[in-house]
Amino acid sequence: MFAQHGSKDQSLLEAHDDLIETMPILVLNVHSRCNCRCLMCDIWKRDEAAEITAATLERHRESLRRLHVEWVVLTGGEPLMHSDLSSLCAFLRELDVRLTLLTTGLLLSRRAAEVAMLFDDVIISLDGPRSVHDAIRRVKGSFDLIQSGVSELRERRPDIRVSARTTVQRMNHSSLRATVLAAKELGLDGISFLAADLTSEAFNRPLLWPTEKQNEVGLSIEEVSALEDELEALIVTFHDDLLKGYIAESAAKLRKIASHFRAHLGLASALSPRCNAPWVSAVVETNGAVRPCFFHQPIGNLQDASFEEIINGEAAQAFRRRLDVATNPVCRNCVCSLYRA
């Protein structure tokens, strides 16, 4: 996780123990706009359409090589709205990286041939069975568009891994078992669950959500109890899928989703997940801002310095040096985690 300094003296070790030699995972918000109108996200409210292009990244090519970036996740907004996705992916392929597409799936049918050629795997945002998903996405027929898109993709490349990611919130908290069945109906290779983010400035929130908006997406005391019952039923019903990894989370991690909502209501203590994201990954916004994860503040901008200079710059090192994941208030409210040994 941290840089290794061989036989250098102790003072030098202490001076540089926050330097990073490898940054294996990079998340690129490649397009600022989205084609859904989801209740739990404000990205779709953006007026401007901005992109990360191959030209944007060209001056950072050697930085990306020296930091040994090996896995790039394209997200947004909606990456399939990008004006020249092929060129961007071609640039990244020259770095010999794994490419993952995180998408709403609405354009998957139209872009199936391109996706089959460009990506190693695809993660589709799935919010429930057909009626629940369409209500949350606020796009009529969105579930059917995913279904046709997956079918088109499978025809072109049967072996590509396509999985689902479900954000748990008020509108789907009692439909998690039905969501697993929906993923199977779609022919997906797996599904993961995470709680809705209620308290950060991520996802195009210039200000923290007011209480009424948090309550619109979050759960009441009665709904948290219903979620706990739903999770226990899911754990029993899909026991084999948990063991085989079709459901990405363990039973313990699934139960933490309900704990997150309990903590938000003040009924339990907020606990940070096990996470080392700032030491193994970074998030780049369409405006060039580089974040240590989705939820913490930027540590630099690609317009001002190289990616390597940002990752090992004074601001980044100071952030990592000060960060205590267990006690940091942002981390304690975090809905996701990344831990890579």
Side-chain angles (χ1 to χ4, degrees):
M1 182 168 71
F2 293 100
Q4 302 297 313
H5 297 278
S7 60
K8 293 182 181 180
D9 63 62
Q10 186 62 32
S11 62
L12 209 55
L13 279 170
E14 292 173 353
H16 295 283
D17 64 358
D18 290 289
L19 285 172
I20 286 179
E21 288 183 350
T22 62
M23 179 64 67
I25 303 169
L26 182 61
V27 180
L28 296 179
N29 290 336
V30 296
H31 191 81
S32 63
R33 299 294 299 278
C34 187
N35 49 9
C36 284
R37 299 292 183 269
C38 303
L39 184 67
M40 65 283 189
C41 177
D42 289 345
I43 289 175
W44 58 273
K45 296 179 181 179
R46 288 173 175 156
D47 294 324
E48 79 288 348
E51 297 181 331
I52 293 178
T53 66
T56 305
L57 296 178
E58 179 58 46
R59 65 183 289 256
H60 304 281
R61 180 189 293 268
E62 292 310 310
S63 284
L64 297 171
R65 286 191 191 280
R66 283 192 293 268
L67 286 170
H68 305 286
V69 173
E70 59 188 54
W71 181 15
V72 177
V73 179
L74 270 59
T75 182
E78 171 51 58
L80 293 181
M81 294 174 69
H82 196 282
S83 63
D84 194 2
L85 195 60
S86 294
S87 293
L88 177 61
C89 290
F91 169 86
L92 294 168
R93 283 296 187 199
E94 291 173 4
L95 300 174
D96 193 27
V97 300
R98 169 186 169 188
L99 282 180
T100 295
L101 172 67
L102 183 55
T103 176
T104 66
L106 300 188
L107 296 174
L108 193 55
S109 180
R110 190 186 310 174
R111 305 286 292 275
E114 191 176 4
V115 171
M117 178 180 64
L118 296 178
F119 293 95
D120 295 294
D121 58 291
V122 177
I123 302 171
I124 297 173
S125 296
L126 179 67
D127 294 309
R130 181 177 279 100
S131 60
V132 175
H133 177 85
D134 285 6
I136 291 173
R137 293 277 144 177
R138 295 192 283 196
V139 175
K140 186 177 180 180
S142 57
F143 186 94
D144 291 336
L145 286 171
I146 291 175
Q147 191 165 42
S148 61
V150 172
S151 178
E152 291 279 351
L153 185 57
R154 294 289 193 205
E155 285 186 15
R156 287 163 173 77
R157 191 171 153 200
D159 63 330
I160 190 169
R161 177 175 173 80
V162 185
S163 60
R165 184 190 67 178
T166 298
T167 301
V168 180
Q169 47 128 316
R170 170 167 284 179
M171 291 182 68
N172 66 4
H173 73 281
S174 61
S175 303
L176 304 189
R177 285 171 292 169
T179 305
V180 175
L181 292 175
K184 293 189 173 191
E185 176 190 345
L186 291 167
L188 303 185
D189 297 304
I191 186 169
S192 65
F193 293 93
L194 76 163
D197 171 50
L198 304 174
T199 58
S200 83
E201 296 179 9
F203 313 115
N204 193 44
R205 300 172 192 163
L207 298 172
L208 295 178
W209 271 350
T211 300
E212 57 269 25
K213 178 64 175 180
Q214 294 182 31
N215 292 340
E216 191 177 2
V217 177
L219 275 58
S220 67
I221 295 175
E222 294 78 13
E223 288 165 338
V224 171
S225 295
L227 171 61
E228 289 170 333
D229 291 342
E230 178 70 12
L231 287 169
E232 293 305 321
L234 184 150
I235 289 166
V236 172
T237 304
F238 297 102
H239 174 74
D240 290 345
D241 290 302
L242 284 165
L243 291 179
K244 295 174 183 176
Y246 184 87
I247 298 174
E249 291 74 26
S250 65
K253 289 191 78 171
L254 287 172
R255 292 182 177 114
K256 286 181 180 179
I257 295 173
S259 298
H260 172 81
F261 288 109
R262 279 204 173 275
H264 182 69
L265 292 170
L267 302 175
S269 298
L271 297 175
S272 299
R274 186 187 188 202
C275 181
N276 64 353
W279 290 271
V280 299
S281 67
V283 176
V284 178
E285 307 278 5
T286 53
N287 64 2
V290 180
R291 296 176 181 266
C293 74
F294 281 107
F295 306 103
H296 283 286
Q297 292 300 308
I299 52 175
N301 194 294
L302 295 182
Q303 298 179 23
D304 304 322
S306 73
F307 182 63
E308 189 176 20
E309 289 169 335
I310 293 168
I311 294 302
N312 281 321
E314 182 178 345
Q317 288 194 60
F319 170 80
R320 292 190 293 268
R321 190 179 304 117
R322 292 192 303 263
L323 181 62
D324 179 1
V325 172
T327 61
N328 183 274
V330 173
C331 296
R332 291 182 67 183
N333 286 311
C334 188
V335 298
C336 64
S337 65
L338 171 66
Y339 188 84
R340 178 162 173 149

